Amino acid sequence: EVQLVESGGGLVQPGGSLRLSCAASGFTFSSYWMAWVRQAPGKGLEWVANIKQDGSEKYYVDSVKGRFTISRDNAKNSLYLQMNSLRAEDTAVYYCARDGVPAVTVFDYWGQGTLVPVSS
Amino acid sequence: EIVMTQSPATLSVSPGETATLSCRASQSVNSNLAWYQQKLGQAPRLLIYSASTRATGIPARFSGSGSGTEFTLTISSLQPEDFAVYYCQQYNPWPPSITFGQGTRLEIK
């Protein structure tokens, strides 16, 4: 059974940093692109970043470029999101998602999400 | 940036009837379009990709159509568990971009 379990969320002050983790199991993690998608309270979905199987390609939404870094450790079946210079508008539930359908970029498995409130 | 616009924002339909949800792209995305269902407090669930291909385990009452800039998700014979929020998502291969629509809330009439 495919499982994605996020951790690392919590209250952080504006300008602060946080590192999210996603533990993957039930599939060959190193064979898939992975992504972070966020959802502000009561709002819609926003793709944040994605990363190729070997980490050689990474892409970000413009609003987080230069502040967030996506990475992965295939030996540990883990995905990460380092978030720096956090702003109030980064407040959201952050989901880890698998890009699991060949030749298209869609997310077939999602974690339960971890909440990141950014507030003083 | 490709902007995805969904309509209507809220759709009220009776169980057993058919719901038709729309999604429009600000520029052509060919058939690079997916649909997701999200229930309150849950993660999204992939329904449709490549505009019309059902994801694994998705019932046949869910169907997608369209290409270019205009897309439709049709849910026939609505079941109680189908009332949720639905999002469309485009995935442009190059330059890589992924954007979601703002969602359509499907509610019981």
Side-chain angles (χ1 to χ4, degrees):
Chain A
E1 178 192 7
V2 172
Q3 283 200 318
L4 298 170
V5 180
E6 302 94 337
S7 60
L11 180 63
V12 59
Q13 292 188 338
S17 297
L18 208 60
R19 188 195 197 206
L20 305 183
S21 299
C22 171
S25 60
F27 65 103
T28 305
F29 180 74
S30 59
S31 296
Y32 292 88
W33 282 75
M34 296 293 296
W36 290 98
V37 178
R38 68 184 178 183
Q39 186 169 35
K43 302 297 184 181
L45 301 167
E46 180 181 41
W47 165 75
V48 174
N50 59 351
I51 185 169
K52 194 176 180 179
Q53 290 92 329
D54 62 358
S56 62
E57 294 182 37
K58 305 175 185 181
Y59 301 98
Y60 301 90
V61 67
D62 284 349
S63 59
V64 309
K65 283 179 183 176
R67 300 189 299 122
F68 289 12
T69 301
I70 189 172
S71 62
R72 64 192 297 162
D73 185 334
N74 288 340
K76 295 183 177 179
N77 291 336
S78 293
L79 178 72
Y80 306 102
L81 185 67
Q82 177 67 43
M83 303 186 295
N84 298 331
S85 302
L86 282 160
R87 306 166 181 169
E89 54 264 35
D90 295 318
T91 293
V93 173
Y94 285 75
Y95 293 102
C96 164
R98 187 182 84 166
D99 177 354
V101 179
V104 298
T105 302
V106 297
F107 308 118
D108 61 344
Y109 284 95
W110 300 62
Q112 83 290 350
T114 187
L115 178 63
V116 178
V118 182
S119 174
S120 54
Chain B
E1 175 189 321
I2 300 175
V3 177
M4 308 302 292
T5 302
Q6 293 186 238
S7 62
T10 302
L11 182 62
S12 299
V13 184
S14 300
E17 296 189 337
T18 296
T20 302
L21 289 68
S22 297
C23 177
R24 173 177 292 178
S26 60
Q27 65 188 74
S28 177
V29 297
N30 297 309
S31 294
N32 298 324
L33 194 285
W35 290 94
Y36 298 83
Q37 175 194 68
Q38 187 178 33
K39 297 181 181 179
L40 191 63
Q42 296 184 17
R45 173 194 183 196
L46 177 65
L47 300 174
I48 301 283
Y49 62 91
S50 297
S52 61
T53 304
R54 276 190 300 278
T56 302
I58 301 303
R61 64 179 183 274
F62 291 90
S63 63
S65 63
S67 66
T69 62
E70 300 283 344
F71 300 89
T72 300
L73 174 69
T74 302
I75 313 170
S76 60
S77 189
L78 277 164
Q79 300 299 301
E81 61 267 28
D82 298 336
F83 293 94
V85 179
Y86 291 84
Y87 294 94
C88 61
Q89 174 227 319
Q90 68 81 20
Y91 42 98
N92 200 47
W94 193 260
S97 82
I98 302 164
T99 50
F100 290 87
Q102 81 281 16
T104 289
R105 180 177 304 278
L106 178 60
E107 64 177 28
I108 299 175
K109 186 174 182 179

